[in-house]
């Protein structure tokens, strides 16, 4: 082969290689995989479930390769964990539970619900027996057998769905479940990372998220960290037990004050807004539904009937309070909650109502005496005479007189003064039948009375 031919062959080869490299570079590269990292940390509450569901839907729509739940929790509410479990089992995107460092109690159910379970060195999973949490500082109490059975079957069904050892899942919940060579009867099962790998509860070990991604075949994936938005944080705040009780007290306090004063003002607005926030928060976490709202409406209607149409306090008032208690209490319990939990919710609602009643009585008694409150009350005398729409000779003669309330003053009603029936209005507080009253002032055609401790009728 001559030198010129060799040069031509080499040149042609270089051109072909260059064209091949150009076309190879021009070919579209496969898209970079996307993963979502969702933290499950701290106490598992009902506000966490909507957050998990939203991230799963968002990841599905984005075509994500996986959603990784980074778990480090001692547990929380069973009903919240059940909602998250259902969302994970029904997810259309790959789900991975990365236990770093612990998945205890309700956290164990969430970890078992993922398609892939990864644990860091020194991790633990298990100890999921349901308990009844009492007052702050008090020890947790055991629950009824039917609740233990329910939670045990939830764990078993989850293990069945994810092809994990069934008895080990049940032993995490029920101390009566014995697994030879693993756990004896009378003890709850908690597995370390090594034990979980040995018994095929966990799929593999990874000490960091990067190591987990590498073993999942997702090294170099685009990581998107999921965080709750403001509305989800607000829902978690509103459904906190202390905040829920406070909203109930404020709502009932505002309504009680408004029912005992004329018109509709600040108290009624605060009351309605507080109850609306309570039910809105519990509606979003799937505790309150149309049934609870209907029961609430029936209770309020019965109370209105008792206050404005029926004298005294009878069947309508009792049924109204019972319906109101039921609506509020049912909005604070969920799936898997025991009778003790329901009774605890009823007790919290009843205590909130009692505090609201006492606060309303104190406000109606002492508020008009405060300087800032007096500036909010119109006390200007409207005058007397025909030009002001009153009959001074007929009305002013009652000024300073004492008598008895013939009907409940809420605030308007009828009183007996010097043997005559007189239309009167209380000074704000409700006055019951038979209570001694005294005429404080005459505003136009309104005869304003107040309750007096002792009746001293003139003869």
């Amino acid at each position: 082969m001559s030198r010129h031919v060799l040069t031509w062959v080499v040149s042609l080869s270089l051109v072909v290689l260059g064209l091949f490299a150009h076309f190879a570079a021009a070919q579209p590269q496969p898209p970079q995989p996307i993963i979502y990292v969702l933290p499950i940390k701290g106490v598992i509450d009902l506000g966490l479930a909507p957050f998990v569901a939203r991230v799963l839907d968002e990841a599905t729509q984005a075509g994500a390769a996986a959603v990784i739940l980074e778990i480090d929790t001692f547990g929380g509410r069973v009903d919240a964990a059940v909602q998250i479990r259902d969302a994970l089992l029904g997810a259309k995107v790959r789900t991975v539970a990365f236990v770093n460092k612990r998945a205890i109690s309700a956290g164990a159910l969430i970890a078992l619900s993922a398609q892939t379970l990864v644990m860091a060195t020194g991790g633990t999973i298990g100890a999921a027996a349901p308990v009844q949490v009492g007052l702050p500082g008090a020890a947790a109490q055991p629950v009824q057998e039917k609740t233990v059975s329910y939670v045990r079957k939830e764990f078993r069904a989850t293990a069945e769905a994810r092809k994990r050892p069934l008895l080990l899942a049940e032993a995490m919940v029920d101390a009566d479940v014995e697994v030879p060579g693993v756990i004896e009867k009378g003890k709850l099962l908690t597995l370390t990372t090594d034990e979980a790998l040995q018994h095929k509860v966990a799929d593999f070990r990874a000490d960091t998220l990067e190591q987990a991604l590498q073993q999942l075949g997702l090294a170099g994936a685009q990581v998107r960290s999921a965080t709750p938005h403001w509305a989800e944080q607000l829902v978690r705040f509103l459904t906190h037990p202390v905040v829920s009780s406070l909203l109930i007290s404020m709502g009932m306090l505002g309504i009680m004050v408004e029912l005992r004063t004329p018109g509709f003002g600040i108290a009624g607005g605060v009351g309605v807004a507080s109850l609306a926030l309570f039910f809105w928060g519990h509606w979003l976490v799937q505790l309150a539904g149309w049934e609870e709202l209907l029961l609430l409406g029936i209770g309020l209607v019965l109370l209105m009937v008792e206050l404005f149409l029926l004298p005294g306090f009878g069947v309508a008032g009792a049924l109204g309070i019972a319906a109101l208690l039921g609506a509020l209490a049912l909005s604070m319990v969920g799936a898997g909650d025991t009778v003790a939990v329901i009774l605890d919710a009823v007790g919290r609602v009843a205590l909130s109502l009692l505090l609201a009643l006492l606060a309303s009585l104190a406000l109606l008694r002492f508020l008009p005496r405060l300087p800032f409150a007096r500036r909010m009350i119109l006390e200007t005398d409207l005058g007397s005479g025909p030009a002001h729409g009153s009959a001074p000779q007929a009305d002013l003669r009652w000024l300073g007189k004492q008598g008895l309330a013939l009907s409940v003053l809420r605030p308007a009603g009828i009183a007996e003064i010097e043997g005559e029936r007189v239309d009167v209005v209380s000074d704000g507080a409700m006055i019951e039948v038979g209570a001694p009253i005294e005429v404080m002032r005459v505003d136009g055609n309104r005869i304003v009375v107040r309750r007096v401790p002792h009746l001293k009728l003139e003869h």
Side-chain angles (χ1 to χ4, degrees):
M1 182 180 293
S2 66
R3 183 177 180 180
H4 293 288
V5 174
L6 180 62
T7 302
W8 182 84
V9 171
V10 171
S11 300
L12 181 61
S13 300
L14 291 174
V15 171
V16 172
L17 290 174
L19 291 173
F20 178 78
H22 172 76
F23 284 111
Q27 291 298 320
Q29 298 296 322
Q32 187 180 22
I34 300 172
I35 64 163
Y36 283 71
V37 178
L38 192 161
I40 305 290
K41 299 186 178 182
V43 178
I44 296 174
D45 56 27
L46 285 163
L48 184 62
F51 169 52
V52 173
R54 176 180 65 84
V55 174
L56 291 174
D57 290 340
E58 184 178 326
T60 301
Q61 294 175 4
V67 173
I68 298 180
L69 292 83
E70 190 169 4
I71 303 175
D72 185 8
T73 177
F74 287 102
R77 294 188 59 140
V78 173
D79 47 0
V82 169
Q83 291 184 25
I84 297 173
R85 173 253 191 199
D86 292 344
L88 291 172
L89 291 182
K92 298 179 180 179
V93 63
R94 183 181 182 183
T95 55
V96 179
F98 178 32
V99 179
N100 183 25
K101 293 284 187 179
R102 58 196 56 83
I104 304 302
S105 189
L109 180 61
I110 296 174
L112 293 173
S113 303
Q115 294 174 344
T116 306
L117 203 165
V118 185
M119 294 185 66
T121 300
T124 52
I125 182 172
V131 295
Q132 169 63 43
V133 179
L135 296 174
Q141 301 297 321
V143 298
Q144 297 176 351
E145 168 58 27
K146 63 180 181 180
T147 302
V148 175
S149 175
Y150 162 75
V151 179
R152 183 176 68 241
K153 292 305 180 183
E154 286 285 345
F155 270 70
R156 182 182 179 89
T158 304
E160 286 179 352
R162 295 308 187 197
K163 309 302 180 185
R164 295 194 171 97
L166 306 183
L167 283 179
L168 293 182
E170 290 188 274
M172 293 180 181
V173 180
D174 193 347
D176 290 334
V177 177
E178 180 180 3
V179 182
V182 179
I183 188 74
E184 61 186 25
K185 187 175 181 179
K187 294 183 179 180
L188 285 176
L189 177 63
T190 300
L191 298 175
T192 66
T193 298
D194 290 340
E195 292 170 340
L197 290 170
Q198 177 186 352
H199 298 294
K200 302 188 182 304
V201 173
D203 296 295
F204 59 84
R205 181 200 309 265
D207 292 334
T208 63
L209 180 61
E210 290 73 18
Q211 291 180 9
L213 291 177
Q214 186 174 5
Q215 296 197 56
L216 290 168
L218 296 172
Q222 178 185 348
V223 178
R224 296 182 181 179
S225 297
T227 55
H229 54 56
W230 68 268
E232 290 165 342
Q233 292 175 337
L234 178 61
V235 168
R236 296 187 71 173
F237 173 76
L238 293 176
T239 53
H240 191 281
V242 175
V243 177
S244 296
S245 300
L246 182 60
L247 287 175
I248 293 174
S249 295
M250 292 178 61
M252 298 310 301
L253 173 61
I255 291 176
M256 289 178 184
V257 171
E258 193 65 38
L259 289 176
R260 296 184 182 184
T261 55
F264 187 86
I266 297 177
V270 170
V272 171
S274 298
L275 290 180
L277 284 174
F278 172 86
F279 280 100
W280 176 68
H282 288 74
W283 174 281
L284 292 181
V285 297
Q286 301 178 23
L287 282 183
W290 290 112
E291 298 83 358
E292 286 79 11
L293 293 179
L294 178 61
L295 197 58
L296 172 68
I298 293 174
L300 292 176
V301 169
L302 289 173
L303 286 177
M304 293 287 188
V305 169
E306 186 68 31
L307 286 172
F308 296 109
L309 300 180
L310 302 176
F313 187 83
V315 176
L319 292 177
I321 290 178
L324 197 59
L325 279 171
L328 293 169
L330 289 175
S331 298
M332 301 173 73
V333 297
D337 287 336
T338 64
V339 175
V341 173
I342 298 175
L343 293 178
D344 177 69
V346 173
R348 285 168 51 198
V349 172
L351 179 60
S352 299
L353 292 177
L354 178 61
L355 292 176
L357 177 61
L358 295 177
S360 68
L361 294 176
L363 278 176
L364 292 173
R365 181 175 181 84
F366 297 109
L367 189 61
R369 303 180 184 180
L370 300 177
F372 75 91
R374 293 179 65 86
R375 291 195 296 268
M376 299 172 62
I377 302 175
L378 180 63
E379 294 185 342
T380 304
D381 191 347
L382 296 179
S384 60
H388 296 88
S390 67
Q393 297 302 323
D395 293 345
L396 290 178
R397 64 190 179 96
W398 301 122
L399 191 61
K401 301 293 185 180
Q402 296 181 335
L404 295 174
L406 294 182
S407 68
V408 180
L409 306 185
R410 298 192 183 103
I414 301 174
E416 179 183 359
I417 305 176
E418 295 186 345
E420 295 187 29
R421 294 168 61 91
V422 182
D423 293 327
V424 298
V425 178
S426 75
D427 61 344
M430 184 187 73
I431 301 177
E432 65 273 14
V433 177
I437 54 94
E438 181 181 12
V439 178
M440 300 170 55
R441 63 183 184 275
V442 178
D443 294 338
N445 61 349
R446 297 171 67 248
I447 301 173
V448 183
V449 301
R450 67 179 180 90
R451 178 175 178 147
V452 293
H454 303 287
L455 180 62
K456 299 179 180 178
L457 296 176
E458 297 180 359
H459 297 283

